[in-house]
Amino acid sequence: MSVRNAAKRFAASVMTAASLSLALLMPTGPAFADAGFRQWVAGFRATAVAGGVSGSVYDQAFRAINEPDPVVLEKARTQPEFTAPAWDYFDNRVHDQSVAVGQQMAKKWKPWLDRIEARFGVDRYVLLAIWSMESNYGEILKRDDIMRNVIRSLATLGYGDAKRSKYARTQLVAALKILQTGDIDESHLMGSWAGAMGQTQFIPTSYQHYAVDMDGNGKRDIWNSIPDALATSANLLKKNGWQAGKTWGYEVTLPAGKLPGGSKTLAQWQALGVVRASGKPFKNLTDKATLKVPDGRGGPAFLMVRNFSVIKAYNNADKYALAVGLLADEIAGGSGLVQDWNRPFTKLSFEERQELQKRLSQHGLYDGKFDGKIGDGSKTAIMAYQAKVGLTQDGYPSLEVLKWLRQK
């Protein structure tokens, strides 16, 4: 059961008649909205108790929550719906900084990673890559502008977001049960606006299925215990069929001409002229694999084996699973892609991306964090600068734009 897959299934569900009535009757003024929220909280108590939550736990969890979280409602309304180019997605996730920190964490947590790998059979570098992807090795948990009270967030969505109402109600009961176990107290039950929690971002129901007390202190603390968080991710992958000692896939070079689709053994792909881009031989030639070309025939190509699909149990997206695999390989000491993405500009290093943001800020065009991540704010600032100096307004974080900024 995937963290995000579960969220998508619940979010796609049709609202109950009761929640629809509430949404239709909900007043719009802020004072009335708060009263309506308090009424919703009081009414949901019976549902939570029927689901196994004690009344005292419920009352304690909501004792200081009197109004919905406006940030959560804003996030729910403004989630972007777009498909980023392959290079854009991977450049923001697989870069020199994420690799370097991953290698530091591999050394720092080696004794625990040894134990986790021995217990679950899941590759340590995949776990480190997931940790990077989900919370930037825990750095996101330090940001008050991102972390929210999970109980309040889920109650807000259950009350005020028709699309996510059923998802939020289910997750709210699960979150209250987490409090009931004593694994974490309500003041530290923090997560994303949609309720994903901890170092490796589990929604409450997934936490219930997979959480592990790896450090043996009697609590399954994925917020503060790195061993618990990484072991919980390992448990999810193991229970979804991770094959110990095997890779997720291979970068390959394709022969000219059209290739058949579908799943074939590595031996069969090899007979068709598909070879590893590194020049090394395939391992386990009887393993079944599927060909993926996320950036078209001109970009890198991959043969994905079973563990690639298992990573998608965490997040059911090819790009996510591929980013985890590529980052894991580089943290482990691999040299990265042989064939780069079809990037229409000269790529910047992580430090150069931070410099780009700083220089855009000096021009008064960017007011975000200098985090090297090129999101909508950075792209808008780049386009504004390009317009200012007469360059093509493509928003690309290119060496060409950085050179212009250095001159001005």
Side-chain angles (χ1 to χ4, degrees), residues 113-347:
L113 288 166
D114 289 344
R115 294 170 65 180
I116 292 168
E117 204 169 57
R119 177 172 168 181
F120 297 98
V122 176
D123 183 272
R124 67 187 61 204
Y125 301 109
V126 167
L127 299 177
L128 291 166
I130 288 173
W131 188 16
S132 173
M133 293 278 290
E134 295 297 336
S135 70
N136 189 22
Y137 302 105
E139 288 301 308
I140 286 176
L141 276 64
K142 302 174 185 177
R143 290 181 55 177
D144 293 337
D145 60 325
I146 294 178
M147 290 294 100
R148 324 297 302 170
N149 178 300
V150 169
I151 300 299
R152 187 185 182 198
S153 294
L154 293 172
T156 296
L157 293 173
Y159 165 72
D161 183 4
K163 184 171 68 171
R164 297 174 178 85
S165 177
K166 187 174 181 180
Y167 156 78
R169 291 165 179 241
T170 300
Q171 297 306 318
L172 179 54
V173 171
L176 290 163
K177 288 182 177 179
I178 293 171
L179 293 179
Q180 192 161 279
T181 65
D183 285 325
I184 195 81
D185 63 71
E186 68 273 5
S187 66
H188 295 96
L189 185 62
M190 305 296 288
S192 71
W193 69 269
M197 311 177 305
Q199 301 279 337
T200 46
Q201 295 290 279
F202 276 71
I203 60 172
T205 51
S206 292
Y207 172 97
Q208 287 182 314
H209 280 103
Y210 302 114
V212 173
D213 173 21
M214 189 69 196
D215 61 18
N217 71 348
K219 296 182 179 182
R220 301 173 299 168
D221 185 357
I222 65 173
W223 298 265
N224 305 298
S225 170
I226 304 306
D228 285 5
L230 297 180
T232 295
S233 293
N235 191 34
L236 180 152
L237 295 175
K238 179 183 178 181
K239 288 188 174 179
N240 280 278
W242 183 269
Q243 296 181 334
K246 293 188 176 183
T247 185
W248 56 272
Y250 303 91
E251 184 187 357
V252 295
T253 300
L254 305 179
K258 188 175 180 180
L259 288 167
S263 177
K264 306 181 187 312
T265 67
L266 290 170
Q268 289 172 323
W269 284 115
Q270 188 171 266
L272 290 167
V274 179
V275 296
R276 288 187 67 177
S278 66
K280 297 178 181 179
F282 292 116
K283 298 178 181 178
N284 307 306
L285 285 172
T286 58
D287 284 352
K288 290 287 189 75
T290 303
L291 180 65
K292 301 276 186 181
V293 284
D295 203 17
R297 286 285 298 241
F302 305 90
L303 283 179
M304 309 303 197
V305 294
R306 169 63 182 164
N307 282 342
F308 177 81
S309 298
V310 176
I311 295 171
K312 289 178 65 177
Y314 215 106
N315 178 343
N316 190 23
D318 281 355
K319 283 183 180 178
Y320 177 90
L322 179 54
V324 167
L326 293 174
L327 180 55
D329 285 356
E330 290 200 43
I331 294 172
S335 57
L337 291 173
V338 174
Q339 172 65 51
D340 203 357
W341 305 106
N342 291 315
R343 194 182 292 102
F345 58 89
T346 305
K347 180 183 178 182

